[in-house]
Amino acid sequence: ISLTLYRLHAGAHCFLFISIIAIVCVIIHSANGILYPMESESRQVKDLSGRWRFRTDNSSGRDTGFQERWWERRLAETGHVIDMPVPASYNDITQDKSIRDFVGWAWYETTFFAPNAWNNEVTNVWLRVGSAHYYAMVWLNGEQVMEHEGGHLPFECDVTMSLNFGATNRLTIAVNNTLTPNTLPPGEINHYNGKDDYPAGYFTQEYEFDFFNYAGIHRPVKLYTTPRLRIGEIVTSSDVTADHASATVHYQVTVTDSSRVGQEMASYNITVVLEDSTGAIVNKTSGGSGSITVTQPMLWWPVGMHDQVGYLYTMVVYAGRLGLSAPITTDVYRLKIGIRTVTVDQTLKINGRPFYVIGVGKHEDWDVRGKGFDWSMVVKDFNLLDWLGANAFRTSHYPYAEEIMQMCDERGIVVIDECPAVGMRSANNFVNKTLSHHLNVIGELVTRDRNHPSVIMWSVANEPSSQLPPAAQYFKTVLDRARELDPTRPATFVCNAGYDSDLATPYVDVVCVNKYEGWYDDPGHVEVIQKRLSYFLTQWHEKRSKPVIHMEWGAGAIAGFHSDPSLMYTEEYLCDVMREHFATFDSLRTGSNPVLAGEMIWNFADFATAQATTRAYGNRKGIFTRQRQPKSPAFVIRDRYRALRNQSVAERQTELDLIGKHWWREVRENWDRSL
Ligand code: GCB
């Protein structure tokens, strides 16, 4: 029995929740291993997505659910429940404004059947929540099994001991979307107590980031089985020789054995087989860590750099116990990997070749489902990226669903993978409490995504007030942590402090900057864009001597608003802003020491924000509407991105031709010599 003091809000009128919770099973939501649930000979997956039961706790302290211990009985017995899809944000599902704008604990419940076949000596059953925003507590059959802070990242635990096998099980999840100065992203609750002109008990949640704080269970909740002796974590990386003739895949496998805690690794047998995309075996080895040599490897290339993009191998890992005569395999896991390198010198390089980013800033944001994972929307977005000719996006401003990362691997879309540290605009965000959570989040993010070849860089934050003195040490610490956890990728944060005032970019590997020339700067004056933007980007480059990516630029354009000559908010205005930016980018991306390593327009599509006088039904900087229809600027950017993409394919072809000629000359010379 443990006493959990649960403090949710900073400030004098914080909600203080006291709950006595019996914790029977060990709570595991470790950064040590959180492999995506995959089926195999030894693993089964059961998806609990669907229609769950739901209610918000509308009590003034939002604590009735804890006082009345709602997890101990059917949610419907505690009060009125409604249908709620999982995964989805709950905000836009109903016609009820109080649910859309709800702040506090929202309660979810579902029931499922656990097959008797899972009830045996050798099987463990895991419960995994893909993500829930922001703070989640999970009970199975009335028993607390997990809690987790932070949206956008998965958490899981072993629920074998809490399940009713051959019977129905009740799963209760309470989710709280309250943000404080120390959450990521941060926010604040403003109470209006003592203000006689506001209703009694009135409060609002405020935040500095520019997207709606959607809440709920955003990604699928799954049960999956593993043998007691299971593969807990696989870490891979690769080296490629300069001539691309050979590669080495390094791996490390962690095995855990819940039936024999403390067993020496030496008593386990691990076999690693590398298969090509047809399933043919390339090479194999054994042991908990080691490397595999691949001759003439098919490298992982992004869109535009090769005619075969997104090539993936499968690493098949077998783990077992050493038997008396032969090893006994218990667990099998198949991990898709790509062989590629990322390096940064004067510019950003993939497999030793310069890579120029032509991308978009995105959001997980869709009509009705909010930030809820939805295959139709996800596949549509990838088709639009292809239509545009983009080769990259940033997971602005939080980690995206694992399924999205898998599609990036397959489609050769490069990802700059971002932490949910956005809106850190005041000094009280740069304190130890936030820092320790930030370090945890980086751990969870890197652990989840480090095997994705598409991920080429970690972004630890977006637009923090990096001109404030505490930001320097703060960001040095988080950037170092990212590089320590993953020495194979560069790390950065996205900066909008001035080149003469920022204190934290000395610690990044690539300078990533946001600037809205012609919009927030010099609004309405497209005629100054080229001169001012070129000056700005060149200053950054000279100041830090690192490659620069222009990570956000753009302008609001409301679909259907037109004017010629253009005016702000019309489609034509964004087209004009684009043309001026493109001319500038072209002058800075070429030459022997190019200033620019990439460009990303903000944003891929219109998205929901908090209501504000500066936001007309959300943020309208999308080149697509929120319903994914193109505005006229989408065609302008498509012309550019497709031309750049085809140009790099053509450049690559020239290289191949040269290699071909070179090879033919060598054959001829050898032939001549032998005659
Ligand atoms: C920014 C932010 C992004 C906003 C954008 C805007 O700099 O990084 O989250 O949505 O500006 O449109 O204001």
Side-chain angles (χ1 to χ4, degrees):
I1 304 279
S2 84
L3 182 70
T4 307
L5 253 187
Y6 212 55
R7 189 168 177 275
L8 283 170
H9 299 169
H13 300 278
C14 66
F15 299 144
L16 198 62
F17 296 148
I18 299 173
S19 56
I20 298 170
I21 297 152
I23 302 178
V24 177
C25 105
V26 183
I27 296 173
I28 307 172
H29 40 89
S30 68
N32 297 327
I34 187 131
L35 291 171
Y36 185 75
M38 298 284 285
E39 296 200 309
S40 77
E41 298 82 325
S42 58
R43 293 171 174 237
Q44 287 177 39
V45 181
K46 185 180 172 103
D47 192 340
L48 302 181
S49 300
R51 185 163 53 98
W52 290 37
R53 292 168 287 279
F54 176 88
R55 67 173 296 197
T56 48
D57 182 343
N58 296 320
S59 60
S60 61
R62 302 290 197 258
D63 55 351
T64 300
F66 288 90
Q67 279 164 12
E68 295 180 355
R69 304 167 72 84
W70 286 356
W71 61 89
E72 286 187 342
R73 52 207 160 116
R74 292 194 307 116
L75 200 54
E77 287 173 30
T78 70
H80 179 64
V81 294
I82 60 171
D83 288 331
M84 188 55 66
V86 170
S89 302
Y90 58 71
N91 310 78
D92 292 345
I93 300 294
T94 74
Q95 302 308 105
D96 188 343
K97 178 180 181 315
S98 75
I99 290 183
R100 186 192 66 202
D101 298 334
F102 182 75
V103 178
W105 288 103
W107 292 74
Y108 285 80
E109 182 199 72
T110 191
T111 40
F112 63 88
F113 197 82
N116 245 333
W118 290 356
N119 188 14
N120 57 51
E121 287 302 301
V122 292
T123 302
N124 277 1
V125 186
W126 299 78
L127 174 67
R128 190 184 202 268
V129 180
S131 81
H133 189 74
Y134 174 83
Y135 200 102
M137 297 181 78
V138 183
W139 295 264
L140 184 55
N141 297 320
E143 187 181 293
Q144 195 201 355
V145 291
M146 278 192 282
E147 58 187 282
H148 183 260
E149 179 180 355
H152 321 291
L153 286 163
F155 50 100
E156 65 178 15
C157 76
D158 180 350
V159 292
T160 320
M161 305 302 285
S162 317
L163 278 172
N164 297 327
F165 292 103
T168 298
N169 291 264
R170 182 167 39 83
L171 178 61
T172 315
I173 304 186
V175 183
N176 193 319
N177 60 348
T178 306
L179 303 175
T180 77
N182 307 116
T183 54
L184 288 181
E188 220 158 38
I189 302 290
N190 286 332
H191 293 270
Y192 292 72
N193 298 333
K195 295 193 175 162
D196 294 341
D197 50 347
Y198 279 93
Y202 185 69
F203 68 89
T204 53
Q205 166 144 279
E206 313 287 343
Y207 40 84
E208 292 278 332
F209 53 90
D210 183 37
F211 55 92
F212 188 72
N213 188 37
Y214 276 115
I217 304 177
H218 282 157
R219 296 182 193 149
V221 178
K222 291 177 180 171
L223 284 170
Y224 70 95
T225 66
T226 65
R228 294 258 157 113
L229 190 165
R230 72 182 177 107
I231 297 156
E233 174 63 321
I234 308 171
V235 185
T236 64
S237 63
S238 47
D239 288 329
V240 181
T241 56
D243 61 359
H244 296 174
S246 168
T248 312
V249 177
H250 308 281
Y251 73 89
Q252 217 178 320
V253 174
T254 310
V255 165
T256 58
D257 190 347
S258 55
S259 54
R260 298 184 190 192
V261 178
Q263 194 91 349
E264 286 294 306
M265 273 308 269
S267 58
Y268 299 121
N269 176 69
I270 295 165
T271 305
V272 177
V273 178
L274 194 67
E275 294 177 353
D276 69 13
S277 64
T278 68
I281 295 178
V282 175
N283 214 335
K284 66 177 176 181
T285 186
S286 60
S289 64
S291 43
I292 295 185
T293 303
V294 185
T295 45
Q296 299 302 331
M298 288 294 294
L299 300 184
W300 186 91
W301 290 102
V303 160
M305 282 188 88
H306 200 267
D307 36 16
Q308 176 134 29
V309 303
Y311 189 91
L312 297 177
Y313 289 85
T314 304
M315 180 177 274
V316 193
V317 180
Y318 300 87
R321 215 165 267 128
L322 288 177
L324 282 181
S325 47
I328 308 157
T329 295
T330 76
D331 199 12
V332 184
Y333 191 92
R334 290 178 179 78
L335 178 74
K336 298 261 192 212
I337 61 161
I339 298 178
R340 61 108 187 86
T341 59
V342 179
T343 44
V344 179
D345 45 34
Q346 289 301 312
T347 188
L348 189 58
K349 288 182 175 149
I350 294 183
N351 299 327
R353 304 224 165 99
F355 174 68
Y356 186 74
V357 175
I358 41 172
V360 292
K362 278 190 101 266
H363 266 298
E364 285 183 323
D365 174 275
W366 302 285
D367 266 350
V368 185
R369 65 251 322 140
K371 294 203 177 306
F373 179 81
D374 182 319
W375 272 120
S376 310
M377 302 315 297
V378 167
V379 175
K380 177 74 176 175
D381 280 6
F382 274 95
N383 291 340
L384 289 174
L385 287 170
D386 181 46
W387 180 87
L388 278 177
N391 63 15
F393 66 79
R394 173 169 58 127
T395 67
S396 37
H397 295 303
Y398 37 79
Y400 289 4
E402 290 153 288
E403 293 81 356
I404 295 179
M405 309 305 285
Q406 292 161 1
M407 281 195 73
C408 288
D409 292 346
E410 285 172 27
R411 295 215 179 187
I413 298 288
V414 156
V415 179
I416 296 170
D417 206 354
E418 190 157 275
C419 269
V422 52
M424 300 179 77
R425 307 297 297 170
S426 76
N428 69 350
N429 301 137
F430 304 110
V431 294
N432 282 343
K433 194 170 177 196
T434 313
L435 179 62
S436 83
H437 176 56
H438 207 152
L439 295 176
N440 275 346
V441 172
I442 288 173
E444 289 182 30
L445 174 63
V446 172
T447 308
R448 192 195 74 160
D449 287 350
R450 61 185 155 200
N451 291 320
H452 289 288
S454 54
V455 174
I456 62 152
M457 182 153 59
W458 306 110
S459 164
V460 299
N462 178 68
E463 294 193 350
S465 291
S466 58
Q467 72 283 6
L468 299 175
Q473 187 56 34
Y474 185 99
F475 281 104
K476 180 177 185 315
T477 311
V478 287
L479 287 159
D480 283 348
R481 174 60 66 91
R483 285 182 288 245
E484 174 197 324
L485 289 167
D486 177 16
T488 72
R489 291 178 178 86
T492 192
F493 75 93
V494 180
C495 183
N496 80 329
Y499 46 75
D500 42 9
S501 59
D502 160 75
L503 301 171
T505 50
Y507 310 112
V508 302
D509 299 308
V510 174
V511 172
C512 295
V513 289
N514 293 349
K515 184 176 173 64
Y516 288 83
E517 206 27 79
W519 189 256
Y520 294 124
D521 291 328
D522 306 297
H525 294 285
V526 290
E527 64 279 9
V528 302
I529 290 178
Q530 289 196 37
K531 175 85 187 184
R532 295 212 64 212
L533 184 61
S534 164
Y535 186 82
F536 170 84
L537 293 169
T538 309
Q539 284 294 313
W540 268 113
H541 190 241
E542 282 174 8
K543 201 123 196 151
R544 296 280 172 249
S545 304
K546 290 172 184 168
V548 177
I549 300 179
H550 193 348
M551 202 61 111
E552 279 185 34
W553 62 278
I558 297 181
F561 275 29
H562 295 287
S563 82
D564 183 37
S566 70
L567 283 170
M568 291 175 76
Y569 281 111
T570 63
E571 296 187 25
E572 288 75 15
Y573 187 77
L574 180 50
C575 293
D576 283 349
V577 165
M578 281 179 169
R579 288 187 198 101
E580 299 301 317
H581 276 73
F582 296 159
T584 318
F585 293 156
D586 281 340
S587 69
L588 299 177
R589 74 183 174 84
T590 46
S592 58
N593 183 16
V595 168
L596 209 58
E599 55 190 86
M600 288 212 184
I601 181 127
W602 189 262
N603 187 285
F604 173 77
D606 293 347
F607 56 91
T609 63
Q611 299 183 69
T613 49
T614 50
R615 293 288 175 261
Y617 196 76
N619 188 311
R620 301 302 200 96
K621 296 191 187 70
I623 49 175
F624 298 104
T625 63
R626 202 175 184 218
Q627 293 70 36
R628 276 36 181 187
Q629 298 308 324
K631 302 176 191 172
S632 49
F635 294 92
V636 177
I637 207 153
R638 178 177 192 251
D639 282 350
R640 173 178 180 77
Y641 281 9
R642 290 201 150 212
L644 285 173
R645 179 178 76 178
N646 295 341
Q647 181 188 336
S648 31
V649 172
E651 276 162 11
R652 165 82 192 133
Q653 198 50 53
T654 316
E655 240 168 57
L656 283 177
D657 290 348
L658 286 175
I659 293 167
K661 279 182 196 137
H662 179 65
W663 170 82
W664 180 239
R665 200 178 55 234
E666 268 179 15
V667 173
R668 280 287 300 273
E669 280 166 8
N670 288 341
W671 177 252
D672 291 347
R673 241 178 273 131
S674 67
L675 278 179

mmCIF file of all heavy atoms in Angstrom, residues 210 397 462-463 514 516 520 552 602 607 615 619 621, ligand 1:
data_model
loop_
_atom_site.group_PDB
_atom_site.id
_atom_site.type_symbol
_atom_site.label_atom_id
_atom_site.label_comp_id
_atom_site.label_asym_id
_atom_site.label_seq_id
_atom_site.Cartn_x
_atom_site.Cartn_y
_atom_site.Cartn_z
ATOM 1 N N ASP A 210 1.539 27.339 -29.880
ATOM 2 C CA ASP A 210 0.519 27.704 -30.850
ATOM 3 C C ASP A 210 -0.191 26.485 -31.448
ATOM 4 O O ASP A 210 -0.197 26.283 -32.652
ATOM 5 C CB ASP A 210 1.195 28.539 -31.957
ATOM 6 C CG ASP A 210 0.218 29.047 -32.991
ATOM 7 O OD1 ASP A 210 -0.901 29.410 -32.627
ATOM 8 O OD2 ASP A 210 0.583 29.050 -34.187
ATOM 9 N N HIS A 397 5.334 19.682 -32.634
ATOM 10 C CA HIS A 397 6.338 20.049 -31.643
ATOM 11 C C HIS A 397 6.363 18.992 -30.547
ATOM 12 O O HIS A 397 6.352 19.310 -29.369
ATOM 13 C CB HIS A 397 5.998 21.402 -31.024
ATOM 14 C CG HIS A 397 6.048 22.547 -31.971
ATOM 15 N ND1 HIS A 397 7.179 22.860 -32.707
ATOM 16 C CD2 HIS A 397 5.139 23.479 -32.317
ATOM 17 C CE1 HIS A 397 6.948 23.920 -33.443
ATOM 18 N NE2 HIS A 397 5.711 24.322 -33.238
ATOM 19 N N ASN A 462 11.491 23.613 -29.152
ATOM 20 C CA ASN A 462 11.156 24.605 -30.169
ATOM 21 C C ASN A 462 11.006 25.978 -29.528
ATOM 22 O O ASN A 462 10.235 26.141 -28.572
ATOM 23 C CB ASN A 462 9.845 24.249 -30.858
ATOM 24 C CG ASN A 462 9.443 25.289 -31.902
ATOM 25 O OD1 ASN A 462 10.104 25.427 -32.928
ATOM 26 N ND2 ASN A 462 8.387 26.038 -31.628
ATOM 27 N N GLU A 463 11.740 26.923 -30.067
ATOM 28 C CA GLU A 463 11.626 28.332 -29.694
ATOM 29 C C GLU A 463 11.603 28.595 -28.199
ATOM 30 O O GLU A 463 10.719 29.313 -27.700
ATOM 31 C CB GLU A 463 10.387 28.958 -30.340
ATOM 32 C CG GLU A 463 10.474 29.024 -31.844
ATOM 33 C CD GLU A 463 9.406 29.918 -32.469
ATOM 34 O OE1 GLU A 463 8.484 30.342 -31.749
ATOM 35 O OE2 GLU A 463 9.509 30.186 -33.668
ATOM 36 N N ASN A 514 13.883 29.795 -36.893
ATOM 37 C CA ASN A 514 12.564 30.166 -37.394
ATOM 38 C C ASN A 514 12.555 31.665 -37.651
ATOM 39 O O ASN A 514 13.017 32.442 -36.806
ATOM 40 C CB ASN A 514 11.480 29.860 -36.352
ATOM 41 C CG ASN A 514 11.305 28.365 -36.115
ATOM 42 O OD1 ASN A 514 11.838 27.544 -36.856
ATOM 43 N ND2 ASN A 514 10.553 28.013 -35.086
ATOM 44 N N TYR A 516 9.818 34.541 -39.747
ATOM 45 C CA TYR A 516 8.683 34.781 -40.633
ATOM 46 C C TYR A 516 8.841 36.146 -41.287
ATOM 47 O O TYR A 516 8.161 37.104 -40.939
ATOM 48 C CB TYR A 516 7.375 34.694 -39.837
ATOM 49 C CG TYR A 516 7.047 33.273 -39.441
ATOM 50 C CD1 TYR A 516 7.616 32.698 -38.316
ATOM 51 C CD2 TYR A 516 6.197 32.501 -40.219
ATOM 52 C CE1 TYR A 516 7.331 31.391 -37.962
ATOM 53 C CE2 TYR A 516 5.907 31.192 -39.874
ATOM 54 C CZ TYR A 516 6.478 30.643 -38.759
ATOM 55 O OH TYR A 516 6.198 29.342 -38.422
ATOM 56 N N TYR A 520 5.521 37.989 -39.528
ATOM 57 C CA TYR A 520 5.726 38.638 -38.221
ATOM 58 C C TYR A 520 6.759 39.759 -38.346
ATOM 59 O O TYR A 520 6.718 40.730 -37.611
ATOM 60 C CB TYR A 520 6.183 37.613 -37.175
ATOM 61 C CG TYR A 520 5.123 36.569 -36.866
ATOM 62 C CD1 TYR A 520 5.393 35.224 -37.013
ATOM 63 C CD2 TYR A 520 3.847 36.945 -36.453
ATOM 64 C CE1 TYR A 520 4.428 34.259 -36.756
ATOM 65 C CE2 TYR A 520 2.873 35.985 -36.194
ATOM 66 C CZ TYR A 520 3.162 34.652 -36.343
ATOM 67 O OH TYR A 520 2.201 33.711 -36.095
ATOM 68 N N GLU A 552 11.350 27.250 -39.987
ATOM 69 C CA GLU A 552 9.961 27.715 -40.125
ATOM 70 C C GLU A 552 9.953 29.050 -40.835
ATOM 71 O O GLU A 552 10.665 29.978 -40.430
ATOM 72 C CB GLU A 552 9.308 27.930 -38.750
ATOM 73 C CG GLU A 552 8.803 26.684 -38.088
ATOM 74 C CD GLU A 552 8.067 26.992 -36.774
ATOM 75 O OE1 GLU A 552 7.397 28.044 -36.668
ATOM 76 O OE2 GLU A 552 8.183 26.168 -35.849
ATOM 77 N N TRP A 602 6.327 26.416 -42.965
ATOM 78 C CA TRP A 602 5.349 26.268 -41.892
ATOM 79 C C TRP A 602 4.000 26.706 -42.415
ATOM 80 O O TRP A 602 3.847 27.848 -42.784
ATOM 81 C CB TRP A 602 5.749 27.130 -40.676
ATOM 82 C CG TRP A 602 4.883 26.845 -39.479
ATOM 83 C CD1 TRP A 602 3.807 27.569 -39.066
ATOM 84 C CD2 TRP A 602 5.030 25.752 -38.570
ATOM 85 N NE1 TRP A 602 3.264 26.997 -37.946
ATOM 86 C CE2 TRP A 602 3.995 25.874 -37.618
ATOM 87 C CE3 TRP A 602 5.915 24.679 -38.459
ATOM 88 C CZ2 TRP A 602 3.833 24.965 -36.576
ATOM 89 C CZ3 TRP A 602 5.754 23.795 -37.433
ATOM 90 C CH2 TRP A 602 4.720 23.940 -36.496
ATOM 91 N N PHE A 607 -4.159 24.199 -38.851
ATOM 92 C CA PHE A 607 -4.350 23.372 -37.650
ATOM 93 C C PHE A 607 -5.034 24.163 -36.546
ATOM 94 O O PHE A 607 -5.033 25.397 -36.550
ATOM 95 C CB PHE A 607 -3.004 22.805 -37.167
ATOM 96 C CG PHE A 607 -1.952 23.838 -36.892
ATOM 97 C CD1 PHE A 607 -1.810 24.392 -35.620
ATOM 98 C CD2 PHE A 607 -1.091 24.261 -37.890
ATOM 99 C CE1 PHE A 607 -0.832 25.339 -35.359
ATOM 100 C CE2 PHE A 607 -0.106 25.227 -37.640
ATOM 101 C CZ PHE A 607 0.020 25.763 -36.375
ATOM 102 N N ARG A 615 -5.862 34.438 -34.339
ATOM 103 C CA ARG A 615 -6.094 33.143 -34.983
ATOM 104 C C ARG A 615 -7.538 33.063 -35.451
ATOM 105 O O ARG A 615 -8.460 33.058 -34.624
ATOM 106 C CB ARG A 615 -5.802 31.991 -33.992
ATOM 107 C CG ARG A 615 -4.326 31.871 -33.613
ATOM 108 C CD ARG A 615 -3.515 31.325 -34.779
ATOM 109 N NE ARG A 615 -2.078 31.299 -34.525
ATOM 110 C CZ ARG A 615 -1.211 32.222 -34.963
ATOM 111 N NH1 ARG A 615 -1.629 33.273 -35.644
ATOM 112 N NH2 ARG A 615 0.087 32.099 -34.724
ATOM 113 N N ASN A 619 -4.722 28.173 -36.942
ATOM 114 C CA ASN A 619 -3.577 28.723 -37.669
ATOM 115 C C ASN A 619 -3.758 28.413 -39.157
ATOM 116 O O ASN A 619 -3.965 27.269 -39.532
ATOM 117 C CB ASN A 619 -2.285 28.095 -37.130
ATOM 118 C CG ASN A 619 -1.040 28.738 -37.699
ATOM 119 O OD1 ASN A 619 -0.924 28.919 -38.906
ATOM 120 N ND2 ASN A 619 -0.100 29.066 -36.836
ATOM 121 N N LYS A 621 -1.620 28.960 -41.757
ATOM 122 C CA LYS A 621 -0.406 28.987 -42.584
ATOM 123 C C LYS A 621 -0.233 27.706 -43.399
ATOM 124 O O LYS A 621 0.771 27.541 -44.088
ATOM 125 C CB LYS A 621 0.833 29.229 -41.708
ATOM 126 C CG LYS A 621 0.817 30.591 -41.037
ATOM 127 C CD LYS A 621 2.132 30.941 -40.399
ATOM 128 C CE LYS A 621 2.022 32.218 -39.600
ATOM 129 N NZ LYS A 621 1.207 32.090 -38.371
HETATM 130 C C1 GCB B 1 6.288 29.643 -34.598
HETATM 131 C C2 GCB B 1 6.033 28.399 -33.830
HETATM 132 C C3 GCB B 1 4.844 27.623 -34.368
HETATM 133 C C4 GCB B 1 3.710 28.582 -34.701
HETATM 134 C C5 GCB B 1 4.204 29.535 -35.759
HETATM 135 C C6 GCB B 1 3.130 30.566 -36.140
HETATM 136 O O1 GCB B 1 7.354 30.185 -34.600
HETATM 137 O O2 GCB B 1 7.160 27.573 -33.762
HETATM 138 O O3 GCB B 1 4.449 26.687 -33.399
HETATM 139 O O4 GCB B 1 2.566 27.914 -35.111
HETATM 140 O O5 GCB B 1 5.310 30.240 -35.291
HETATM 141 O O6 GCB B 1 2.408 30.336 -37.083
HETATM 142 O O7 GCB B 1 3.020 31.577 -35.451
#
